[in-house]
Each structure stands twice: as structure tokens, then as C-alpha cells.
Amino acid sequence: FNNLYLNNPRDLSMSNEQILIVEDELAIREMVVMTLEMAGFESLQAADIAEAHQQVVDHRPALILLDWMLPGDKSGIDFCRMLKSDEMLSEIPVIMLTAKSTEDSLINGLDAGADDYMTKPFSTRELVSRIKAVLRRSRALSNDKPIKICQLSLDPKSQRVTAQGNLIDMGPTEYRLLAFFMSHPERAYTRTQLLDQVWGGNVYIEERTIDVHIRRLRKLLRPYDCDKLIQTVRGTGYRLSNRLE
């Protein structure tokens, strides 16, 4: 770990927000706590999943920094899946911290619902930047007003998607992608822009990963004839139309 976040002033717009650090290595936990405090955040700590769950229930942190490998029979990925499947807790953003750096591991983390992913060792300055970026995106997607386009409805408060009155069961990644599209209809986005907006800047996955999730999303919407709303823009990327053509 390097570049300890010592010189930048506190971001007052982010101050007093609690960040839960789930990490079994005390030295790493203490380093992250000091970094966050210097950036104006308050810290909560947990060394295992049981303690982390209790902290989440008691304090409902603004964001969770979650280690992949934790003591016990469940991993950080398991805990992330559990959080994202709980309607009361699913809106809490999660950044995975892990020594696993393969693309498969990264995709597994994101598919489990993680909002971002950092490999160890990491720069503490970058960590603070990632936290601020994820919190900004989380706020942007937390508008409580339902969005309706044609027969497709998305309720950000309950994180439910319905079409023709039918509930569509979709994973967290497809939900975030659809929520972004429906919040910005009729605008074409490149794959790079979608990676930045939905997954976060500096997330090192290939652009073709976007195509995989677009195919999954279209497949989920196809039974309701809503897959045609997501259009391929040749030479650019994708957009969501506000009308069926």
C-alpha cells in the first residue's frame, strides 16, 4: 500500500459518512481507518462476516469496503451476495478489496453485486477517489421516483423492474445498467462511458464485458418485447430509446 492520503483537504460534502471496513488483517484495517479519517469519513470495523453483518444492521453504513478472503466458511463474495439479495440492505454500495487480480475474479465480484473492485496492494489516494466516485453514483441512482418508459417500469426505492405488470428478476449488474439507461434515455454511450458510469472509473475489465451484460439484459426483457428499447448505435455503443420502433 502506498501514497497515504495525507495532503489533500477533507471533502466536506462527504464528511461524517460512515464506511464499514471488513478486513481480517489488523494492519490493513488500521491503515484504511487512518486514510478514511484524514479524508473526512467515519470508520466502522469488522474482522469477519458475523461482525460485519451486525455493524450493517446496527449502523447502516454509507459504503462497505469488503475483503474477498475472510475467516470462516463464507467469503466476502458470499456476504456481498447476501447484502444485495436483501431489500433493506441492497442499496449500500460495496467495494471489493482483494489480492485476486484475474479477469474472472473481477467479473465474479461485479456479478455478485460489488460496485467497484480494487486489487491489493492499492494506493490509498486511489481508494479515497474510488469511494467518492461510488458514493456519487449511488446518490445519482437513489432517486426515489419510479421511471417508466413504454411498458417498462423501474422503481429505484424497491429496486424492482416490471414489464406489463410482471416482475423481472435480474442481477445487480443488469439492474444498474438498466437504471442508468432509463435515467438517461435517447443518449448514446460508448462502452468506455458505460464502464465509467455503471462500474466506475479505473475498473480494469475489457469493454466486451459490456456486450455480455447487454445481451443478458435484452434476454430478460425479450419476453415482454422490451428488448428493442436497448439499441445498438453503430460505431458508438448503445442507447435506450423511449419508444418502441
Side-chain angles (χ1 to χ4, degrees):
F1 303 90
N2 51 30
N3 296 334
L4 191 60
Y5 194 83
L6 294 174
N7 298 319
N8 283 7
R10 294 186 176 204
D11 184 340
L12 296 179
S13 66
M14 302 283 184
S15 63
N16 299 320
E17 290 189 290
Q18 292 184 319
I19 309 296
L20 172 59
I21 307 153
V22 187
E23 167 64 63
D24 60 320
E25 294 188 36
L26 179 60
I28 296 176
R29 224 167 49 236
E30 289 179 341
M31 178 274 296
V32 175
V33 167
M34 182 168 61
T35 300
L36 295 180
E37 288 179 351
M38 290 181 173
F41 295 103
E42 294 181 1
S43 298
L44 300 168
Q45 301 182 50
D48 55 44
I49 289 177
E51 188 178 0
H53 185 261
Q54 193 61 52
Q55 292 277 35
V56 169
V57 171
D58 290 346
H59 299 283
R60 194 174 180 87
L63 181 143
I64 300 172
L65 297 175
L66 180 60
D67 187 26
W68 184 305
M69 301 300 294
L70 292 167
D73 58 352
K74 293 187 181 297
S75 68
I77 287 288
D78 296 323
F79 185 54
C80 185
R81 289 195 183 100
M82 183 193 75
L83 289 172
K84 297 302 180 178
S85 65
D86 187 323
E87 289 186 8
M88 300 298 294
L89 305 175
S90 61
E91 294 182 7
I92 302 175
V94 175
I95 298 179
M96 295 294 302
L97 305 177
T98 177
K100 297 176 179 288
S101 58
T102 65
E103 183 179 344
D104 285 344
S105 296
L106 190 153
I107 292 174
N108 285 338
L110 295 175
D111 282 349
D115 297 83
D116 206 343
Y117 186 106
M118 292 190 69
T119 56
K120 301 175 182 178
F122 52 79
S123 158
T124 53
R125 185 181 295 273
E126 181 183 353
L127 175 63
V128 170
S129 294
R130 296 279 194 102
I131 289 171
K132 291 177 179 178
V134 169
L135 286 174
R136 283 194 296 269
R137 290 199 307 276
S138 178
R139 293 191 192 102
L141 293 175
S142 64
N143 185 348
D144 287 345
K145 294 182 180 179
I147 307 170
K148 185 172 183 178
I149 293 179
C150 294
Q151 302 180 69
L152 193 62
S153 297
L154 184 144
D155 185 347
K157 192 170 183 178
S158 65
Q159 295 199 353
R160 287 191 174 98
V161 178
T162 57
Q164 302 174 12
N166 298 291
L167 181 65
I168 303 176
D169 184 20
M170 63 178 61
T173 304
E174 281 69 40
Y175 173 83
R176 292 200 305 271
L177 186 58
L178 181 61
F180 177 75
F181 273 137
M182 292 184 71
S183 301
H184 305 82
E186 296 297 346
R187 292 181 59 180
Y189 291 92
T190 66
R191 290 168 179 81
T192 299
Q193 288 173 324
L194 289 172
L195 282 172
D196 288 344
Q197 294 293 330
V198 179
W199 279 264
N202 300 316
V203 175
Y204 303 111
I205 57 178
E206 296 185 11
E207 289 185 358
R208 60 188 171 87
T209 303
I210 290 289
D211 301 326
V212 173
H213 289 292
I214 290 288
R215 286 197 297 270
R216 289 181 183 176
L217 184 55
R218 282 173 170 163
K219 184 177 180 180
L220 291 169
L221 300 179
R222 190 167 297 128
Y224 311 99
D225 203 33
C226 292
D227 56 307
K228 298 172 185 176
L229 291 173
I230 301 176
Q231 301 173 345
T232 300
V233 182
R234 185 168 299 180
T236 303
Y238 298 98
R239 71 167 168 248
L240 185 136
S241 176
N242 57 18
R243 62 187 184 277
L244 288 170
E245 298 178 351

